[in-house]
Amino acid sequence: MFEFSASTIAQIGAVVFVAYIVRGMSGFGTSLVAIPILVFILPLHTAVPLMTLIGLSVTVILGIRDRQHVRWDEMLRLLPPTLIGVFAGIYLFTALDARLMQRLLGGFIVIYAVYMIGSQFISTQVKACSSRWAWPAGFGSAFVDSMFGGGGGPLVVIYMLRRGYDPVTFRSTLAVLWLVELVVRVGGYAVGGYYRWAVVLTAILLLPVMWLGNRTGEAISRRMSQRAFARLIAVVLFASGVSLLLK
């Protein structure tokens, strides 16, 4: 007998649809939108592997589709620290105070988002940052993602935003970077035995919902100016930070 009822799958589908609208608009934020809601429907150890598997599906599709828009020089800068961060996060998972780190990260993201929102309304530009920040951003993002199942993405998002890329390049480069990270993370969850048949089948059933939500978000983002896009990023960062503080 299938583990999840039809009503449970419908609720999960609604959450995934909204989360992927945000993903299509901003290029990130899926897990931080979905997981705090999904934990009211599923156990955390089911919700995180499920969203990771769905996320892998969309990043494979988007990575292939948008590869011509990827900034490969930036990708090569971010990839080594990202891989190191994944392995370090998995290795240190049981040794660190996850709740404290989660709240510290959430507080940092909220403060930065408030700064971004304020700078938009007082007509100041977000300052560019050096490529040397690729290592702390890539490592920190993958490290936190590997420990908490999400939450680290805003670190590399902040880095990419401050590098000044247009929305298409921004989303495409992050999609390929996160593809590599997710492949490694899915492998870890599989080894840990988290991918029961019901989880895998549910992920497959929700692929059309995911794709529709992502395309809807992308269509909305094409109608936005660069300034409006930056404001959207700030709002999503703020929501992500609050989500971490409350999680």
Side-chain angles (χ1 to χ4, degrees):
M1 185 173 180
F2 192 60
E3 183 176 338
F4 304 138
S5 67
S7 62
T8 298
I9 294 177
Q11 293 173 55
I12 297 169
V15 174
V16 169
F17 180 71
V18 172
Y20 272 93
I21 289 178
V22 174
R23 168 65 176 76
M25 293 174 67
S26 66
F28 78 106
T30 308
S31 292
L32 288 179
V33 171
I35 290 176
I37 303 173
L38 285 178
V39 293
F40 292 100
I41 305 170
L42 300 171
L44 181 62
H45 288 113
T46 300
V48 170
L50 174 64
M51 289 304 300
T52 303
L53 189 57
I54 295 173
L56 177 60
S57 302
V58 74
T59 51
V60 168
I61 296 169
L62 295 178
I64 294 172
R65 189 195 69 181
D66 298 336
R67 62 188 182 280
Q68 66 270 27
H69 300 297
V70 173
R71 278 294 300 258
W72 292 106
D73 56 339
E74 199 70 76
M75 177 69 185
L76 292 175
R77 276 192 289 267
L78 287 166
L79 186 57
T82 295
L83 293 175
I84 295 171
V86 169
F87 291 118
I90 293 172
Y91 179 75
L92 296 176
F93 179 77
T94 58
L96 299 179
D97 186 343
R99 184 175 294 274
L100 176 60
M101 285 192 63
Q102 201 168 269
R103 289 179 175 174
L104 289 173
L105 176 65
F108 164 73
I109 294 170
V110 167
I111 292 170
Y112 189 88
V114 169
Y115 158 73
M116 282 186 63
I117 293 170
S119 69
Q120 290 292 317
F121 282 104
I122 62 176
S123 300
T124 59
Q125 294 183 344
V126 177
K127 296 180 180 178
C129 71
S130 167
S131 61
R132 289 176 294 184
W133 285 97
W135 272 83
F139 175 84
S141 176
F143 179 76
V144 173
D145 278 345
S146 299
M147 292 187 66
F148 307 131
L155 292 175
V156 77
V157 165
I158 290 169
Y159 168 78
M160 287 291 290
L161 185 65
R162 295 189 68 172
R163 293 288 288 162
Y165 298 119
D166 64 90
V168 174
T169 301
F170 175 92
R171 286 192 299 268
S172 300
T173 305
L174 286 180
V176 175
L177 178 69
W178 286 334
L179 170 60
V180 177
E181 178 187 328
L182 285 170
V183 167
V184 179
R185 286 173 55 198
V186 165
Y189 292 135
V191 170
Y194 292 108
Y195 285 120
R196 306 183 307 279
W197 169 244
V199 175
V200 175
L201 183 56
T202 300
I204 294 171
L205 290 174
L206 293 177
L207 288 180
V209 177
M210 170 273 292
W211 188 245
L212 180 60
N214 195 80
R215 291 299 297 269
T216 302
E218 288 182 339
I220 295 171
S221 72
R222 292 191 199 100
R223 301 175 181 270
M224 302 176 70
S225 66
Q226 184 73 27
R227 187 176 181 84
F229 181 75
R231 288 180 179 176
L232 172 65
I233 293 295
V235 170
V236 176
L237 282 174
F238 182 84
S240 296
V242 171
S243 175
L244 280 173
L245 289 172
L246 298 177
K247 189 173 178 181

